[in-house]
Amino acid sequence: MSPNKVVAVIGSTGAQGFSVVQSLLPSFFVRAFTRSQEKLQSLASENPNLSVVQVDPNDTAAVKAALHGVWALFVNTFSDYTQPLGVEEKQGKGIVDAAAEAGVEWLVFSSLPDNMPFRAFVDKANVMKYAREIARKSSMKNVFVELGYYMSNSLWNPPVQAADGVVEFRWSTIDEKTYLPLIATQTDLGPILKAILEDPAKWEDTEIPIVGETLTVPQIAEIYGRVRNVPTRAVFLHHIPLETSFDGWIDMHRDFKEVGYFPAYKGRESEIREIASKLYPGLKSWEAWLREDDTRLDYVKH
Ligand SMILES: NC(=O)c1ccc[n+]([C@@H]2O[C@H](COP(=O)([O-])OP(=O)(O)OC[C@H]3O[C@@H](n4cnc5c(N)ncnc54)[C@H](OP(=O)(O)O)[C@@H]3O)[C@@H](O)[C@H]2O)c1
């Protein structure tokens, strides 16, 4: 059956957006927004349902013009830590305005949980509040997805084999009690979005945590050891952190330890995945993600 609704995707070439584009394509016309059209050229050449538009997400007038005829819009803004605080919030609010003015019926905004002090969380949660205000004054309706901690982030801080042969998961910014709500973003977000858009009214104004499994670092290490058949341990260092993948990495993990990634679920972390697992029962566990590729997350050899 040929699709009859247009879904636009802002952030379409990223981990989140590309997963969404791929999953929606058979059922919807997809209009992918990117700053560099060539990134999606080969996919577009094979898919008549995919159109690609070159738009800077900061250019609100251009975003609005390119949203003409769009039924639903998925938005994931990029957190650029080289920019001053509030830049992401401004971009997100501009996109919300553009969507409402263009007559978009459903906005699915990739937010992050409220009450977490780290900047990407604050900026995105502020856009979520703004989208709620705009929904009260327009015909646009919202759904919010809140991505957990990508399983692929582990590649930035791989385990290291110590002199005694044990493979160590080394952290200084978080401790043995800190929970990481893990998600296989690249494969699992798309099917969730597809399920939401099959019946968006059911999820109107809901904040949906997108999480496959919530684990502590000792649990992450134990599962890795079982899957890769190596002895492992979690190690919490007390000196200057080794893991510094981007500006803000240390502060962000400290906030995960002190406040929790999903503050509203403090003390009931096992419940974080409940809504997403109903939307997509195939959600990957940490073990399934590791088993998907034998060479994934190789440890650094001694
Ligand atoms: N890593 C995690 O665990 C995690 C968890 C939850 C939420 N997040 C959030 O996810 C967002 C990143 O999304 P992602 O992982 O899908 O992104 P990604 O894979 O790093 O891709 C970046 C995307 O952002 C777009 N973009 C727009 N402006 C950009 C800029 N100034 N610099 C670089 N890229 C820009 C790029 O699009 P074009 O180049 O095609 O225009 C590209 O599609 C961040 O806001 C982060 O806070 C991450």
Side-chain angles (χ1 to χ4, degrees), residues 39-52:
K39 284 192 191 171
L40 291 170
Q41 228 150 31
S42 72
L43 187 65
S45 66
E46 295 157 12
N47 282 282
N49 294 347
L50 175 63
S51 61
V52 183

Side-chain angles (χ1 to χ4, degrees), residues 10-18 33-36 39 55-58 76-81 83 88 91 110-112 120-121 124 146-153 156 183 185-186 246 252 261:
I10 293 184
S12 63
T13 61
Q16 294 191 28
F18 194 60
F33 287 45
T34 169
R35 295 165 309 159
S36 15
K39 284 192 191 171
V55 181
D56 180 337
N58 289 307
N76 179 33
T77 53
F78 181 78
S79 311
D80 184 349
Y81 299 122
Q83 297 291 318
E88 183 176 8
Q91 183 190 95
S110 182
S111 187
L112 278 168
F121 287 66
K124 289 178 198 279
E146 297 175 346
L147 273 282
Y149 191 92
Y150 298 3
M151 292 187 192
S152 55
N153 290 352
W156 293 334
I183 178 68
T185 305
Q186 289 85 345
F246 57 81
M252 181 176 83
Y261 194 111

